[in-house]
Amino acid sequence: MTISGKNLVAGEWTGKVEGGFTAFDANTGEALLQSYADATEAEINEAIVSANEAFKTFGTLAPAQRAQFLRTIGEQIVALGDELVEIATTETGLPAMRIQGERGRTVGQLNLFADLLDSGEYEGVIDLADPQREPLPKPDTRLGYIPLGVVGVFAASNFPLAFSTAGGDTASALAAGCPVVMKAHAAHPGTAELVAQAILKAIEICQLPKGVFSLLQGKNYAIASQIVTHPLVKAVGFTGSERVGLILQQQINERPEPIPFYGELGSLNPQMIMANKVAQDGEVLAQGLVASLMMGQGQFCTSPGVWAIVEDDNYAAFEAAAAKAICEQPAGVMLTPKMAEGYIATVEAWKNSGATIVAKGKAADVAHHASAYLFSADLATFKNTDLLREEVFGSTALIVRCKDAAEQQEFISYIKGQLTGAIHAVEADLDATRQIAQLLVHKVGRLIYNQMPTGVEVCASMNHGGPFPASTDLRTTSVGSKAITRFQRPICYQNMPEELLPSLLK
Amino acid sequence: MTISGKNLVAGEWTGKVEGGFTAFDANTGEALLQSYADATEAEINEAIVSANEAFKTFGTLAPAQRAQFLRTIGEQIVALGDELVEIATTETGLPAMRIQGERGRTVGQLNLFADLLDSGEYEGVIDLADPQREPLPKPDTRLGYIPLGVVGVFAASNFPLAFSTAGGDTASALAAGCPVVMKAHAAHPGTAELVAQAILKAIEICQLPKGVFSLLQGKNYAIASQIVTHPLVKAVGFTGSERVGLILQQQINERPEPIPFYGELGSLNPQMIMANKVAQDGEVLAQGLVASLMMGQGQFCTSPGVWAIVEDDNYAAFEAAAAKAICEQPAGVMLTPKMAEGYIATVEAWKNSGATIVAKGKAADVAHHASAYLFSADLATFKNTDLLREEVFGSTALIVRCKDAAEQQEFISYIKGQLTGAIHAVEADLDATRQIAQLLVHKVGRLIYNQMPTGVEVCASMNHGGPFPASTDLRTTSVGSKAITRFQRPICYQNMPEELLPSLLK
């Protein structure tokens, strides 16, 4: 495979590569040689119009045919072999083993939706006619689901495969019957192109219309704006920062026709650490939290960013164990030099925020590598300092020291919506845990007991989403088989002859 | 029962009635004597804050307790007896039999949600732990649903019971566990107050916090604005005009936190009349369409407002039958004098729009009564005349005369999103019907074959909603048991001890 640097617009590789943007070797911080063509207004429009054209046939395919397409995409991604792992490793700085694992998850997600389609489980309710009913006969009504239309998807920086080109949003949109117009993340355009090549092969093998999938490269915000405001785009999936997510939300709000916007914007992922747990098991817990914080160099949306704990007699030992674990952490490469810069600037701002440094990981010997940090603050400081209540994208956590259990409960009132929240407790904490759980459940999309928030299961019972600003639509999940419902809508067929019903409603 | 004219704010009847607004006797067009207090800023805030306080307990009630509450509301509505029928009849001009039927439907809806809660069917997915799984153990994950919080509901003008104070939005929000702050419709404030009295009795009988339901009276737009932008309001249900719905949508878009907005804004409800059907059965169909159009004096959101038909040899007989049926229709009282005025003005505008009058119902001898009309236009006129593509709230329909089957298909491309669309056909039309159905399905929320769009079944397979502007969120229904999902969100419980799980997920 060779990288062209071009956009994939409905089966054609287009665009002017010379003078385009470049990505970086995350490990060295240096610009890579390959240039990429910024998608033009005409290319974006062509991609969307072709997608809408493709929708006319793709949107009516039998579920089994869509399942076949998803499985074929997975096979073609695997067939990319080591080249995919190498380029993703270079572009993101993530280790090869992590990329291999993520590839497995990406293919697994595609197959999960294929299994769902083959099972027919996601379909319909049938209420038969009752001509004898008084005072009026009951008509035959059957509830099915149809795809929304063209979906715009924005790739995430931190999961170059599982939340990018053929990631969860793409897989669930295609599973639903929606063509996808994908905006690649500018930090890993080569990874995106290789995966797009795999999808194009799958389109050819399955003989689908080419407009079913397009890949647009670019660094320019105007690309995003054009996608989300295009009248033929009927839903948008986005994983990224709160700042960019809110810009997209605002643009979408200006459309004449409202459309679903599924923005997954990150999270502090509060850890509620109960008193008896600290007494019995504080050191192991501290080590576990640090290990979770270090996953992907803290660049997970489920990273445990804030830990609320009562400052009792056992606190000092807990803090010491956490500090010791942090001190042992080597500095690490971040996804992009710019993100490393942003992370380092945030840590500097925290140093002047009223929070205290508890521990620092090993120093970085390269400018764009980053060290881990652990800070602490009392509840009043947390409450009064906006900066400490915002997500840090990197391996920094904040311990919020509460005077007593009441303050620990009060802490929950100061946090915004979260993807996850965890309670670390033992049986002796049960009553206090129940109270915490009743408050925390209204702030989170996933409530965890004695496990770490990192590591999101891809299954039917997963919810990856949560109250704003964790996500812009708290009624849905971006991970797991229920993600398909984001791109479908209900339709009631009344008194339809069998020949005109979808196969699953007959 | 006496009418106080006050607002119900968390169990207290408050407000200054003197100098407030009055409703009209729809039949005479004269203002009624009773004044009603416009809700003040302080009352609205108190209602919402109390609702949020009530949510802390109401939101965690066992489903069976919420079911009991819904059934008790229904009983208390029935216990209002004839007084409710009389006041609703006076305020809306709808006949007593219709109000009695609507009362039955309203109580039926409350009981439908109660049955759903008792059945436990709406709850959860359980994926058990698999500690042996390689490479990582699978945690126990269970997906449940929790209520969103305080819901603002706006009553509809045309269904004073079934889409108003204790109507579908209220019933589904309460069923979900969400307290309701209800804005009564200014056209039937007395009906609203009586039903609110019934809800308050049910709150007392079930010993629930009073904040679970408040009723706000008023004519002032500022009331709506304050409700939809209040930070403690977590979802809004609205049934009304596109104009008001879009104002609310815009205000909601300006909130820092996006919330679900379920606006049901009305519809043309296109009727696709196939050639062989006209040949075989045109007269009966024409009579059926006119009868459907006359339901509630055309003031149904599912009223058949536009009929697309090929102008072939059988057309003249069809048109003549429809014209004859229209001519026989007596003029009728409309919901309010202002609506009658609006309807009459729209009909006058249509007369100068390029459409031709096919027939007119009997003349009105009272200013605020309205006559039925049937117009026709060719496809080009329909395409080029915005006015003809907007909903008329009243008993006027438009026949769009298509030259051939291709034009009849093209017609579908000129209509916006619709609550319903119907195809009237016989077996000989099957191929053409299939093509029409494939196009029409993407414009409607309910696709009907050989039945009229009026009459919405309240059941699990109903969908009452549709692509914009039929509704502002096409992923949901406002009628039927699935309406409960509008006011809930998913939550994943991971590794939770049994004692902390909701009963239905144990």
Side-chain angles (χ1 to χ4, degrees):
Chain A
M1 296 284 177
T2 51
I3 299 285
S4 71
K6 294 187 173 185
N7 300 294
L8 173 62
V9 177
E12 302 295 322
W13 294 95
T14 66
K16 188 167 161 292
V17 172
E18 301 75 37
F21 72 96
T22 57
F24 291 84
D25 181 328
N27 289 289
T28 66
E30 278 166 27
L32 292 161
L33 291 178
Q34 175 70 51
S35 300
Y36 293 87
D38 263 297
T40 63
E41 206 179 311
E43 286 170 324
I44 297 165
N45 189 58
E46 171 71 18
I48 294 169
V49 169
S50 302
N52 191 56
E53 205 50 45
F55 178 57
K56 291 174 189 166
T57 50
F58 186 66
T60 60
L61 279 191
Q65 288 175 276
R66 295 206 298 271
Q68 181 56 29
F69 178 43
L70 295 172
R71 292 190 210 282
T72 308
I73 293 173
E75 288 159 13
Q76 292 302 317
I77 290 172
V78 171
L80 291 169
D82 287 345
E83 194 184 355
L84 178 66
V85 179
E86 281 157 24
I87 198 161
T89 305
T90 303
E91 288 182 330
T92 64
L94 296 168
M97 193 176 283
R98 150 69 197 271
I99 295 293
Q100 284 155 353
E102 198 181 321
R103 179 177 58 189
R105 174 174 166 175
T106 305
V107 174
Q109 283 177 164
L110 289 158
N111 292 338
L112 175 79
F113 288 111
D115 291 347
L116 180 71
L117 291 171
D118 283 338
S119 75
E121 269 171 22
Y122 68 104
E123 282 275 356
V125 181
I126 297 177
D127 286 316
L128 296 177
D130 179 3
Q132 315 306 329
R133 192 185 63 175
E134 294 293 342
L136 291 169
K138 176 182 177 321
D140 180 296
T141 50
R142 299 173 189 226
L143 189 70
Y145 295 89
I146 57 172
L148 294 180
V150 180
V151 173
V153 177
F154 292 80
S157 63
N158 58 346
F159 281 82
L161 300 175
F163 284 85
S164 292
T165 311
D169 284 349
T170 300
S172 51
L174 293 176
C178 298
V180 168
V181 173
M182 162 65 60
K183 165 68 178 67
H185 198 283
H188 49 75
T191 307
E193 180 174 333
L194 282 187
V195 176
Q197 288 175 6
I199 297 175
L200 179 56
K201 274 213 180 144
I203 287 174
E204 288 165 349
I205 291 168
C206 299
Q207 298 180 293
L208 297 175
K210 299 284 169 62
V212 162
F213 180 85
S214 288
L215 180 81
L216 302 170
Q217 300 278 11
K219 274 201 143 161
N220 192 335
Y221 272 135
I223 298 173
S225 167
Q226 192 183 341
I227 294 172
V228 305
T229 58
H230 199 292
L232 293 177
V233 169
K234 298 302 181 190
V236 172
F238 168 82
T239 306
S241 70
E242 186 174 333
R243 191 182 61 80
V244 177
L246 293 185
I247 293 171
L248 294 180
Q249 176 76 71
Q250 206 158 21
Q251 288 170 342
I252 288 171
N253 285 349
E254 281 160 19
R255 295 172 59 104
E257 178 192 12
I259 58 170
F261 174 48
Y262 304 111
E264 200 255 84
L265 311 184
S267 208
L268 300 175
N269 304 298
Q271 307 295 304
M272 309 302 298
I273 303 174
M274 309 306 285
N276 291 294
K277 177 74 175 180
V278 181
Q280 282 186 33
D281 214 15
E283 268 183 60
V284 173
L285 174 60
Q287 289 157 5
L289 286 167
V290 171
S292 177
L293 177 67
M294 297 309 298
M295 298 278 289
Q297 200 64 26
Q299 300 165 121
F300 275 14
C301 48
T302 52
S303 195
V306 56
W307 314 347
I309 182 170
V310 174
E311 197 173 1
D312 61 13
D313 293 348
N314 301 306
Y315 173 75
F318 170 83
E319 190 193 273
K324 181 162 177 285
I326 286 282
C327 293
E328 288 163 2
Q329 303 304 322
V333 61
M334 292 193 70
L335 288 163
T336 69
K338 202 175 145 200
M339 283 186 190
E341 207 177 283
Y343 170 73
I344 291 162
T346 303
V347 169
E348 287 309 307
W350 272 39
K351 288 178 185 171
N352 300 309
S353 68
T356 315
I357 296 183
V358 173
K360 184 190 165 181
K362 293 188 178 154
D365 45 11
V366 182
H368 61 282
H369 285 202
S371 304
Y373 277 87
L374 184 63
F375 286 80
S376 86
D378 58 18
L379 184 64
T381 305
F382 179 74
K383 174 186 174 183
N384 296 319
T385 314
D386 286 349
L387 186 67
L388 298 176
R389 288 183 283 113
E390 301 295 332
E391 183 187 19
V392 179
F393 201 64
S395 51
T396 284
L398 175 70
I399 301 177
V400 176
R401 303 183 316 267
C402 303
K403 284 200 198 98
D404 50 27
E407 269 210 6
Q408 196 180 22
Q409 287 191 23
E410 189 186 340
F411 159 84
I412 297 171
S413 68
Y414 302 136
I415 56 172
K416 296 189 275 189
Q418 306 289 334
L419 289 169
T420 76
I423 303 172
H424 301 279
V426 292
E427 208 166 330
D429 294 307
L430 188 62
D431 285 344
T433 297
R434 182 175 287 115
Q435 291 174 39
I436 292 279
Q438 277 178 9
L439 298 171
L440 193 58
V441 75
H442 290 293
K443 296 284 180 125
V444 305
R446 177 161 54 109
L447 186 63
I448 304 166
Y449 186 80
N450 280 345
Q451 291 184 342
M452 294 302 156
T454 44
V456 182
E457 271 305 306
V458 182
C459 59
S461 59
M462 180 45 57
N463 186 48
H464 193 64
F468 182 82
S471 67
T472 55
D473 191 329
L474 79 177
R475 294 164 295 173
T476 64
T477 177
S478 64
V479 174
S481 51
K482 295 224 178 261
I484 193 175
T485 64
R486 295 180 300 165
F487 302 114
Q488 296 177 319
R489 67 175 176 93
I491 173 110
C492 174
Y493 299 92
Q494 180 173 327
N495 194 38
M496 290 301 273
E498 180 127 337
E499 300 93 314
L500 297 176
L501 281 169
S503 55
L504 286 160
L505 287 178
K506 279 178 187 172
Chain B
M1 295 284 175
T2 51
I3 300 284
S4 72
K6 295 187 173 185
N7 300 293
L8 173 62
V9 178
E12 302 294 322
W13 295 96
T14 66
K16 190 169 160 291
V17 174
E18 299 76 37
F21 72 96
T22 56
F24 290 83
D25 181 327
N27 289 290
T28 66
E30 278 166 27
L32 293 162
L33 291 177
Q34 175 69 51
S35 301
Y36 293 87
D38 263 297
T40 64
E41 205 179 312
E43 285 170 325
I44 298 165
N45 189 60
E46 171 71 19
I48 295 170
V49 169
S50 302
N52 192 55
E53 203 52 44
F55 179 56
K56 291 175 189 165
T57 50
F58 186 67
T60 61
L61 281 191
Q65 289 175 276
R66 294 205 297 271
Q68 181 57 29
F69 178 43
L70 295 172
R71 292 190 209 281
T72 308
I73 294 173
E75 288 159 12
Q76 292 301 317
I77 289 172
V78 171
L80 292 169
D82 288 344
E83 193 184 356
L84 178 66
V85 179
E86 281 156 25
I87 197 161
T89 305
T90 303
E91 288 182 331
T92 64
L94 296 168
M97 194 177 282
R98 149 71 197 270
I99 295 293
Q100 284 155 355
E102 197 180 321
R103 179 176 59 190
R105 174 173 165 176
T106 305
V107 174
Q109 283 177 165
L110 289 158
N111 292 339
L112 175 79
F113 288 110
D115 291 347
L116 180 72
L117 291 171
D118 283 339
S119 75
E121 270 169 24
Y122 68 105
E123 281 275 357
V125 182
I126 297 177
D127 286 316
L128 295 177
D130 179 3
Q132 315 304 331
R133 192 185 63 176
E134 296 291 344
L136 290 169
K138 174 176 180 326
D140 180 295
T141 49
R142 299 173 189 226
L143 189 70
Y145 295 89
I146 56 172
L148 294 179
V150 180
V151 173
V153 176
F154 292 80
S157 62
N158 57 346
F159 282 82
L161 300 175
F163 283 85
S164 291
T165 311
D169 284 350
T170 299
S172 51
L174 294 175
C178 297
V180 167
V181 173
M182 160 66 59
K183 165 69 177 66
H185 197 283
H188 49 75
T191 307
E193 180 174 334
L194 282 186
V195 175
Q197 288 175 6
I199 297 176
L200 179 57
K201 274 214 180 142
I203 288 175
E204 288 165 350
I205 291 167
C206 298
Q207 298 181 296
L208 297 176
K210 301 283 168 64
V212 161
F213 179 84
S214 288
L215 179 81
L216 303 170
Q217 301 278 11
K219 275 203 143 161
N220 192 335
Y221 272 137
I223 298 173
S225 166
Q226 191 182 342
I227 293 171
V228 304
T229 58
H230 198 293
L232 293 177
V233 169
K234 299 301 180 190
V236 171
F238 169 83
T239 305
S241 71
E242 187 174 333
R243 191 182 62 81
V244 176
L246 293 185
I247 292 171
L248 293 180
Q249 177 76 71
Q250 204 158 22
Q251 289 171 340
I252 288 170
N253 285 348
E254 281 159 18
R255 296 172 58 104
E257 178 192 12
I259 58 170
F261 174 48
Y262 304 111
E264 198 254 85
L265 311 184
S267 208
L268 299 177
N269 304 298
Q271 307 296 304
M272 309 302 298
I273 302 173
M274 309 305 286
N276 292 294
K277 177 74 177 178
V278 180
Q280 282 187 31
D281 213 16
E283 267 182 62
V284 173
L285 175 60
Q287 289 156 3
L289 286 167
V290 171
S292 177
L293 176 69
M294 296 310 297
M295 299 279 290
Q297 199 63 28
Q299 300 164 120
F300 275 14
C301 47
T302 53
S303 196
V306 58
W307 314 348
I309 183 169
V310 175
E311 198 173 0
D312 61 14
D313 292 346
N314 301 306
Y315 172 75
F318 170 84
E319 191 194 273
K324 179 161 178 285
I326 286 282
C327 292
E328 288 163 1
Q329 302 304 321
V333 61
M334 293 196 66
L335 288 162
T336 68
K338 202 176 146 200
M339 283 185 189
E341 206 177 285
Y343 170 73
I344 292 163
T346 303
V347 169
E348 288 308 307
W350 272 40
K351 289 179 185 170
N352 301 308
S353 68
T356 314
I357 296 183
V358 173
K360 185 189 164 182
K362 294 189 178 152
D365 45 11
V366 182
H368 61 283
H369 286 202
S371 304
Y373 276 87
L374 183 63
F375 287 80
S376 85
D378 59 18
L379 184 65
T381 305
F382 179 73
K383 175 186 175 184
N384 295 320
T385 313
D386 287 349
L387 186 67
L388 298 177
R389 287 183 283 113
E390 302 295 331
E391 183 188 18
V392 179
F393 201 63
S395 50
T396 284
L398 175 70
I399 300 177
V400 176
R401 304 182 315 267
C402 303
K403 283 199 200 101
D404 50 27
E407 268 208 7
Q408 197 179 24
Q409 287 189 24
E410 189 186 341
F411 159 85
I412 298 172
S413 68
Y414 303 136
I415 56 171
K416 296 190 275 189
Q418 305 290 334
L419 288 169
T420 75
I423 303 172
H424 301 279
V426 292
E427 208 166 328
D429 295 307
L430 188 63
D431 284 343
T433 297
R434 182 176 287 115
Q435 291 173 38
I436 292 280
Q438 276 178 11
L439 298 171
L440 193 58
V441 75
H442 290 293
K443 296 283 179 124
V444 305
R446 177 160 55 109
L447 186 63
I448 303 166
Y449 185 81
N450 278 347
Q451 291 185 343
M452 295 302 155
T454 43
V456 182
E457 271 305 306
V458 182
C459 60
S461 58
M462 181 43 57
N463 186 48
H464 192 64
F468 182 82
S471 67
T472 55
D473 192 329
L474 77 177
R475 295 164 293 174
T476 64
T477 176
S478 65
V479 174
S481 52
K482 295 223 178 262
I484 192 174
T485 64
R486 297 180 298 164
F487 303 113
Q488 295 179 319
R489 68 174 176 92
I491 172 112
C492 174
Y493 299 92
Q494 180 173 326
N495 194 39
M496 290 301 274
E498 180 127 335
E499 299 94 313
L500 297 177
L501 281 170
S503 55
L504 286 161
L505 288 178
K506 280 179 186 171

